[in-house]
Amino acid sequence: MTRTNTAHAAEELPGGTVDAVVIGGGAAGLNGALMLARSRRSVVVVDSGGPRNAPAAGVHGLLALDGTPPAELLARGRAEVRRYGGTVRAGEVVRAAASEPSAEGDPRFTVTLADGATLHARRLLVATGLRDVLPEVPGLAEHWGQGVVHCPYCHGWEVRDEPVGVLAVGPASVHHALLFRQLTEDLVYFTRNTALDPDTRARFAARGIRIVDTPVDRVVTAGNGGIAGVRLTDGQLVPRRVVAVATSMRARGEGLEALGLPMRDLPDGMGRHFVTGPAGATEVAGVRVAGNATDPAAQVGASAAAGALAGAHLNAELVAADTDAALAAAQRDTSGR
């Protein structure tokens, strides 16, 4: 379905069957939609408005846009998609499912939104992102995205030289601690009853990382609203300004169950993600997944690139399907003469 370069209002939904519905309006979804719209495809982005990096002050590690507030980056992206005729709709998908294919066997999907609106599409791009699940430590969640950080590449420079405490959640926390040690000389590792072998203890000692084996009771808030430190179960307060913790990263799949997209658990309880092949391909014909929903470690730039690649491949699929349909029609015309 080819369309002209006319913008749509954010809340207006096109009628009929659109070329693609993009579920998720973050970097991956918007860049995928941009590629499709620039290929003159009718595309609708459904955005629930809850990006993973919303608490952060700025996006980092993104060339030429380092430090841009997440909300500003997404606003620019939505404007760019609309500029090429794409539609961006605020809403939540409650059900996405395959429907009867076309006469030529081209996939079809039905997407239902929470407000009752329904979309019909030839292709789906799932870019729902993920949800960070924090360990259940009192006082931790309220500082998430500010004094509590998880990614040394996203937030490390901003907390350099601060007193940092790493709350261990499992084996991955050892590497996590060494990465943050690159950014500060004042690092405390709270084992939280996780195993720490003698070799790792020796390596930590060589790097000047203090190890605390006493269980953690809570994260304590300072009078200024920041973090005062980590309270242990014996009552001791270990002063810290920053707490680093590896989250359990779980792809957002609510409303997508009927698609039957395969998922896989990450090792050591670190999360769950959609299984994909090259360019976000899945076992479900016509559905691709991009961004953190399939690659939990991807930063904004990598997610955007993955969305662009998936969008380009969806367009290529549509080109092939359009050509097949045109050929079949031409052959019918010829045989009917």
Side-chain angles (χ1 to χ4, degrees), residues 201-256:
R201 290 177 180 270
R203 291 170 67 83
F204 275 11
R207 290 290 280 153
I209 298 173
R210 176 187 167 195
I211 299 171
V212 172
D213 291 309
T214 305
V216 168
D217 176 63
R218 64 179 56 248
V219 173
V220 178
T221 301
N224 63 1
I227 291 176
V230 176
R231 180 82 65 188
L232 307 180
T233 55
D234 63 4
Q236 178 188 359
L237 178 69
V238 181
R240 297 290 90 187
R241 294 275 303 274
V242 176
V243 171
V245 60
T247 62
S248 178
M249 301 173 288
R250 302 184 180 277
R252 296 176 175 176
E254 298 84 359
L256 307 179

Side-chain angles (χ1 to χ4, degrees), residues 76-286:
R76 292 185 194 179
R78 289 190 290 268
E80 289 174 355
V81 170
R82 291 176 180 134
R83 184 191 311 159
Y84 292 102
T87 300
V88 181
R89 169 68 178 267
E92 182 179 351
V93 172
V94 294
R95 179 177 169 80
S99 50
E100 192 70 23
S102 71
E104 295 79 19
D106 193 43
R108 293 291 186 271
F109 302 92
T110 301
V111 179
T112 305
L113 307 189
D115 62 5
T118 300
L119 289 161
H120 301 280
R122 300 173 64 191
R123 299 292 186 274
L124 295 182
L125 175 55
V126 174
T128 50
L130 60 79
R131 183 175 294 106
D132 287 291
V133 180
L134 292 164
E136 294 184 2
V137 175
L140 187 68
E142 64 193 74
H143 294 286
W144 174 241
Q146 302 299 320
V148 174
V149 300
H150 74 293
C151 174
Y153 302 106
C154 302
H155 315 288
W157 176 264
E158 284 65 40
V159 303
R160 67 193 186 283
D161 297 327
E162 294 283 5
V164 175
V166 174
L167 299 184
V169 297
S173 295
V174 171
H175 180 59
H176 205 216
L178 292 171
L179 289 175
F180 273 95
R181 174 60 182 84
Q182 171 64 22
L183 300 158
T184 181
E185 295 183 356
D186 188 353
L187 187 69
V188 175
Y189 187 85
F190 299 91
T191 61
R192 297 184 65 243
N193 297 317
T194 61
L196 204 60
D197 59 68
D199 179 66
T200 301
R201 290 177 180 270
R203 291 170 67 83
F204 275 11
R207 290 290 280 153
I209 298 173
R210 176 187 167 195
I211 299 171
V212 172
D213 291 309
T214 305
V216 168
D217 176 63
R218 64 179 56 248
V219 173
V220 178
T221 301
N224 63 1
I227 291 176
V230 176
R231 180 82 65 188
L232 307 180
T233 55
D234 63 4
Q236 178 188 359
L237 178 69
V238 181
R240 297 290 90 187
R241 294 275 303 274
V242 176
V243 171
V245 60
T247 62
S248 178
M249 301 173 288
R250 302 184 180 277
R252 296 176 175 176
E254 298 84 359
L256 307 179
E257 295 84 357
L259 291 173
L261 297 171
M263 300 189 79
R264 178 185 297 139
D265 290 327
L266 294 167
D268 301 316
M270 293 308 297
R272 187 170 174 80
H273 66 110
F274 288 106
V275 179
T276 59
T282 72
E283 295 179 0
V284 181

Side-chain angles (χ1 to χ4, degrees), residues 20-109:
V21 168
V22 178
I23 305 174
L30 289 173
N31 220 16
L34 182 64
M35 295 295 282
L36 286 159
R38 282 179 50 83
S39 296
R40 307 190 75 183
R41 294 293 177 184
S42 54
V43 58
V44 178
V45 179
V46 181
D47 181 16
S48 65
R52 179 190 185 191
N53 61 359
V59 172
H60 295 289
L62 186 60
L63 188 65
L65 292 172
D66 187 82
T68 303
E72 180 183 333
L73 189 70
L74 295 181
R76 292 185 194 179
R78 289 190 290 268
E80 289 174 355
V81 170
R82 291 176 180 134
R83 184 191 311 159
Y84 292 102
T87 300
V88 181
R89 169 68 178 267
E92 182 179 351
V93 172
V94 294
R95 179 177 169 80
S99 50
E100 192 70 23
S102 71
E104 295 79 19
D106 193 43
R108 293 291 186 271
F109 302 92

